[in-house]
Amino acid sequence: EAGVAQSPRYKIIEKRQSVAFWCNPISGHATLYWYQQILGQGPKLLIQFQNNGVVDDSQLPKDRFSAERLKGVDSTLKIQPAKLEDSAVYLCASSLVSGRLQYFGAGTRLSVL
Amino acid sequence: AQSVTQPDIHITVSEGASLELRCNYSYGATPYLFWYVQSPGQGLQLLLKYFSGDTLVQGIKGFEAEFKRSQSSFNLRKPSVHWSDAAEYFCAVGARSGNTPLVFGKGTRLSVIA
């Protein structure tokens, strides 16, 4: 069974630039999550999708972050414009049932200079 | 609100020694409980989980954890640590109903010395 795929693995941008991350969940997993993990901290949920609908985006900075999950499969997370404090690892996870076992991708490490 | 506390930021153990990583949670009911491990540059890998039943759960790589309701704890243990166990360990809690997300602790970094 293929795992959660994320790309790119690394990204370096300057502040005020835009960036996008891509995630392909495990086949058949209806729930998809995007987490932000700042160095030295645990992952923090940014947004949760159930199929292609948003379940929870309460901690997503909506003035600069956006996410979509068209057709209920792949998802993209965008930051525009980026700030220095957005430097983090962005993790995508998926689960068959919401709130249960989550499987994580390798993450995208973003550095904003 | 749910919260998870991992009191130890960094632990160093000798190879072959036993290990216990602490996790305390705050939650209004019995939650789902998880331990994940993260190696440098990698995503999170599930070590073990507790949903119900036997409070001592076995996981991969020789790890186990014990759910203690009275202490709101879910400590991770391993009888003999290997150098390859050096990584970051995260405890997480999830609700048994609804769509509430996992809440993670801040992690414990494990170093293993010869």
Side-chain angles (χ1 to χ4, degrees), chain A residues 10-106:
Chain A
Y10 306 93
K11 191 73 177 179
I12 301 174
I13 62 173
E14 295 186 350
K15 60 183 179 183
R16 290 188 288 273
Q17 286 186 323
S18 63
V19 64
F21 313 127
W22 173 82
C23 172
N24 182 250
I26 293 173
S27 178
H29 281 195
T31 311
L32 185 147
Y33 314 79
W34 282 102
Y35 289 87
Q36 181 191 58
Q37 185 180 18
I38 293 174
L39 186 65
Q41 298 184 20
K44 181 188 80 171
L45 181 74
L46 291 175
I47 189 166
Q48 176 183 342
F49 291 94
Q50 182 72 19
N51 296 308
N52 59 348
V54 175
V55 173
D56 184 350
D57 64 356
S58 57
Q59 298 196 78
L60 187 73
K62 298 180 185 63
D63 58 334
R64 299 184 299 106
F65 285 64
S66 64
E68 61 182 9
R69 191 184 183 195
L70 300 177
K71 301 180 182 178
V73 181
D74 292 9
S75 177
T76 56
L77 175 69
K78 297 179 182 178
I79 307 175
Q80 181 180 12
K83 293 185 175 181
L84 295 177
E85 58 261 35
D86 298 332
S87 295
V89 175
Y90 291 84
L91 295 164
C92 179
S94 69
S95 65
L96 193 59
V97 176
S98 176
R100 291 277 191 127
L101 279 176
Q102 295 185 24
Y103 296 87
F104 284 80

